Amino acid sequence: MAEPDAEQSAREQELVERVAASFAGADDERLATVMQSLTRHLHAFLREVRLTEDEWNQGIAFLTAAGHITDDKRQEFILLSDVLGASMQTIAINNVAHADATEATVFGPFFVDDAPRIENGGDIAGGATGQPCWVEGTVTDTAGNRVPGARIEVWEADEDGFYDVQYGDDRTSGRAHLFTDDDGGYRFWGVTPTPYPIPHDGPVGALLAASGRSPMRAAHLHFMVTAPGLRTLVTHIFVRGDELLASDSVFGVKDSLVMDFEELPAGTPAPGDRAVEGPWSRTRFDVVLAPAD
Ligand SMILES: [Fe+2]
């Protein structure tokens, strides 16, 4: 498409200024700032790609389809934000690196409040299928002080890549919470993480397919760690060697979150008093919490 001449550019710019000015009177100063910036970036995008009217219609149809498939269990707009990297960018902006504090990553759509409590050394699987995996570590602050009583929420998919909320039968499995002991240590059994696709039967899935992108997420285990006076950490750990690390569909992988999962053959004595049949794995994840803002 031909570049606009000076007169056309001036006409387009005049509209940008008029729309931006229309938000200047908002009572909420932050709303004015956000909407004026959104206006300028949106118009810059429209002008840069010289959006056609057909493409505008396609965009409206896409957003309409995203709205129609969204309900209280399916959130297509979060998926869209995720695959555009907007979720990770927002997390990056709001979790500025602090000393050696553990890095944050996407929360995802599968967290559930009120997951059962387990004691240290207990099992979060609750019937979720998969190879047993022993996870242990400590929670400290950035000065290296152990944090007793930190609340750790963990949740993960089963070996087929499904979270309990996707079974459709109200069962609770593959999730729990526990607290660090007096030494700031924690330990639990889960299942070895496996890769799974984000829901891809809607417009976001169609966008990924049209773009030659995979819906697969690298295998991971979700953590949320909270303790008084310290910044809440929402993160995952990933499995070193997983071939999907470089192409995670929501851009959630950070090198510092990739952990060694040691594979142990059947017959290897397991920690705690659990009798494990068959092979199992183990990993260590030491959490460092930044000070609260
Ligand atoms: Fe997940």
Side-chain angles (χ1 to χ4, degrees):
M1 195 168 287
E3 284 298 301
D5 62 21
E7 191 185 331
Q8 172 68 20
S9 282
R11 204 177 301 140
E12 292 172 6
Q13 187 59 33
E14 190 274 335
L15 177 59
V16 176
E17 299 303 337
R18 213 146 33 95
V19 178
S22 75
F23 289 110
D27 286 340
D28 182 339
E29 214 173 291
R30 176 69 178 165
L31 177 66
T33 302
V34 168
M35 291 311 297
Q36 289 186 321
S37 177
L38 175 63
T39 298
R40 292 187 189 286
H41 286 274
L42 175 62
H43 284 250
F45 155 70
L46 298 172
R47 296 171 74 191
E48 180 182 313
V49 302
R50 309 306 295 167
L51 196 79
T52 68
E53 287 172 303
D54 271 356
E55 289 164 344
W56 181 89
N57 277 312
Q58 277 182 45
I60 296 297
F62 179 92
L63 293 172
T64 303
H68 284 164
I69 203 171
T70 294
D71 59 21
D72 59 345
K73 293 212 171 68
R74 173 73 179 262
Q75 231 304 354
E76 196 75 359
F77 291 101
I78 291 181
L79 282 185
L80 178 59
S81 168
D82 289 352
V83 304
L84 291 174
S87 305
M88 274 306 286
Q89 193 66 277
T90 305
I91 288 163
I93 292 163
N94 288 281
N95 292 270
V96 173
H98 189 288
D100 57 353
T102 305
E103 293 192 280
T105 190
V106 282
F107 193 50
F110 297 121
F111 175 75
V112 174
D113 270 323
D114 303 323
R117 179 178 177 177
I118 59 163
E119 295 304 318
N120 259 304
D123 191 351
I124 73 159
T129 54
Q131 175 186 263
C133 178
W134 176 253
V135 183
E136 63 188 331
T138 56
V139 177
T140 59
D141 63 20
T142 48
N145 300 307
R146 299 290 185 101
V147 181
R151 180 178 174 125
I152 302 176
E153 300 271 355
V154 288
W155 64 106
E156 63 174 335
D158 67 15
E159 66 181 341
D160 296 318
F162 292 108
Y163 287 83
D164 54 2
V165 292
Q166 296 176 291
Y167 297 141
D169 59 6
D170 288 337
R171 87 182 87 160
T172 297
S173 63
R175 67 179 73 243
H177 73 275
L178 66 160
F179 294 88
T180 51
D181 60 22
D182 292 345
D183 252 350
Y186 76 88
R187 57 208 72 85
F188 63 87
W189 282 101
V191 298
T192 308
T194 50
Y196 67 85
I198 61 168
H200 58 108
D201 56 344
V204 170
L207 173 64
L208 293 178
S211 308
R213 284 178 53 182
S214 162
M216 294 302 290
R217 293 226 51 209
H220 60 270
L221 169 61
H222 292 263
F223 278 77
M224 179 163 67
V225 185
T226 50
L230 297 168
R231 187 199 281 169
T232 294
L233 172 69
V234 174
T235 197
H236 324 332
I237 54 173
F238 297 90
V239 180
R240 196 177 313 285
D242 181 356
E243 60 187 19
L244 293 167
L245 288 173
S247 61
D248 185 50
S249 56
V250 306
F251 307 98
V253 179
K254 292 180 172 175
D255 287 348
S256 68
L257 301 175
V258 179
M259 300 294 153
D260 292 311
F261 281 70
E262 185 184 1
E263 290 289 333
L264 297 149
T268 311
D273 50 11
R274 177 168 174 172
V276 178
E277 289 175 19
W280 54 284
S281 68
R282 68 185 304 161
T283 191
R284 181 171 187 92
F285 177 40
D286 292 324
V287 174
V288 180
L289 297 179
D293 297 324

